[in-house]
Each structure stands twice: as structure tokens, then as C-alpha cells.
Amino acid sequence: AEKELAKFKEYIVKRVEHTPIQYILQKAFFRNLELYVDENVLIPRPETELLVDRVLTLISDIVREKAAELGDFSLTDITDTPDISLGILEIGTGSGAIALSLIKEAKPFIAKSLVGAGKNGQAKIESPDNEPAGSHVAKDNSSAGAAAKSEGPESESAKSDGFGSGSIKSFSALQATEIASLIKLKITATEKSSAALEVALKNAKNLLSEEEI
């Protein structure tokens, strides 16, 4: 009890000296991650999460276009499984918040976006030039094994929503899962400060599985 009280008083003194709570507790939250932080790195800011959103969207655009080029497929039918390779370089990673978030979120986000795009005009993802992502390779959904085929009123509804020529490519849930499994995402994070790099490596060790590393 005395040790806890002494620690609490230490926290109060640091806070009076305007030390950020994150540095006092050596803990910061970023998106879905709980990160270790100290004075050697900047505290991840909430608005930086928007950058991760933007990068995830751009990655999804690229994967959709590459997947459309593969045509109708199932992994069980592929002899030489094609990879969808993507490389990202982050300069000055700090705590590793951005890189670690991308590693954790990229594949689930891509799979979800591949299924959701084009449904009732929702989940429209745009490329940097504001053109609908994949629109120039999605002129015929059937030719690229795009949307899950359905019959009856639901199919007619999809057509009426513009889910055809020039629309955003959409895939079935199974196809999206298969496509996500093809993604080879390589993220290289650099950091000039060796002390900051130690923080990033500590977070990577705590948050990533051996497969993700």
C-alpha cells in the first residue's frame, strides 16, 4: 500500500509539472492498439488515425484493381497462386502506431471493402484523382469474377443501382477472403533515433504475432 501511495504521489507531481498522462503511465491508445510510449517518441495523435484510414483506402483501391485482373478464380483452382504484393515505407515511425495499425487492419479492411463496394451505392471508395476505384477495370463484373451472382429481384436491384459498367468492383465474401489471402504486404518503418526505434520494436513484439512480423 505504501509503495502504491508513493507511486501515486509521483504521478501527481509529474502531472503538476505538465507531464502528459501518456508519458506518466507509459501508455497511449491509437485506433485499436494500446501502445507503450515514453519521452523518446511523440504521443500518437487522434487525427493521425485519419491518415491510416486514407492509406487503407488507397491499398484497397490497388488490391481491387489487381484482383479484377485475375478474372474468375478460386484458390483451389490455382496451380501457381498469384501474389498481390504491396510495399509501404514509413519514415520516422516513432512508436510504430501507423505501421502497426496497417499490419493489423489491412487484410480485414480490404476483405470487407471488396464485399461492400457498390452495394446500393454505399461504401464508394475513391482513388486520389476522385475517379471511382477500379472503375476502368470494372466494365463487366462477370468477366472479372466480381459480384456474387444472384437471380431474381435482388439481381435487378443491383443493376438499377448502377452496379455494372463503370461502377466499383464488388466481390462475394468468399472471393474477398481468397483475395485477402493473396496479399503480401511489406511495411518498412525507419527511425533515426535508436531510443525511439527501441520503443517501436517493443510495441511490435507486444502486438504482433510471429506470422505478422
Side-chain angles (χ1 to χ4, degrees), residues 159-173:
K159 291 179 181 178
S160 66
D161 286 330
F163 193 38
S165 180
S167 67
I168 299 173
K169 179 72 68 177
S170 184
F171 298 83
S172 70

Side-chain angles (χ1 to χ4, degrees), residues 117-177:
K119 284 189 176 181
N120 300 320
Q122 301 297 318
K124 287 194 175 182
I125 298 176
E126 297 183 344
S127 55
D129 56 3
N130 293 323
E131 289 289 333
S135 61
H136 61 287
V137 294
K139 293 183 178 179
D140 186 351
N141 285 339
S142 62
S143 67
K149 295 181 180 178
S150 58
E151 297 179 0
E154 187 176 19
S155 177
E156 291 300 318
S157 173
K159 291 179 181 178
S160 66
D161 286 330
F163 193 38
S165 180
S167 67
I168 299 173
K169 179 72 68 177
S170 184
F171 298 83
S172 70
L174 178 59
Q175 287 173 324
T177 301

Side-chain angles (χ1 to χ4, degrees), residues 20 24 53 60 96 103 116 156 163 177 191 193 213:
I24 295 174
D53 285 334
S60 181
I103 292 172
E156 291 300 318
F163 193 38
T177 301
E191 177 55 61
S193 167
I213 294 175

Side-chain angles (χ1 to χ4, degrees), residues 61-138:
D61 290 349
I62 295 170
V63 171
R64 183 180 294 105
E65 293 186 8
K66 288 181 177 290
E69 296 170 1
L70 294 177
D72 286 312
F73 70 91
S74 170
L75 290 186
T76 56
D77 299 327
I78 294 178
T79 304
D80 297 320
T81 304
D83 289 338
I84 300 178
S85 299
L86 298 170
I88 297 175
L89 171 63
E90 182 189 9
I91 300 174
T93 191
S95 64
I98 295 174
L100 294 172
S101 292
L102 291 174
I103 292 172
K104 284 292 188 181
E105 298 182 43
K107 289 189 177 182
F109 179 90
I110 291 169
K112 184 176 180 180
S113 68
L114 290 176
V115 174
K119 284 189 176 181
N120 300 320
Q122 301 297 318
K124 287 194 175 182
I125 298 176
E126 297 183 344
S127 55
D129 56 3
N130 293 323
E131 289 289 333
S135 61
H136 61 287
V137 294

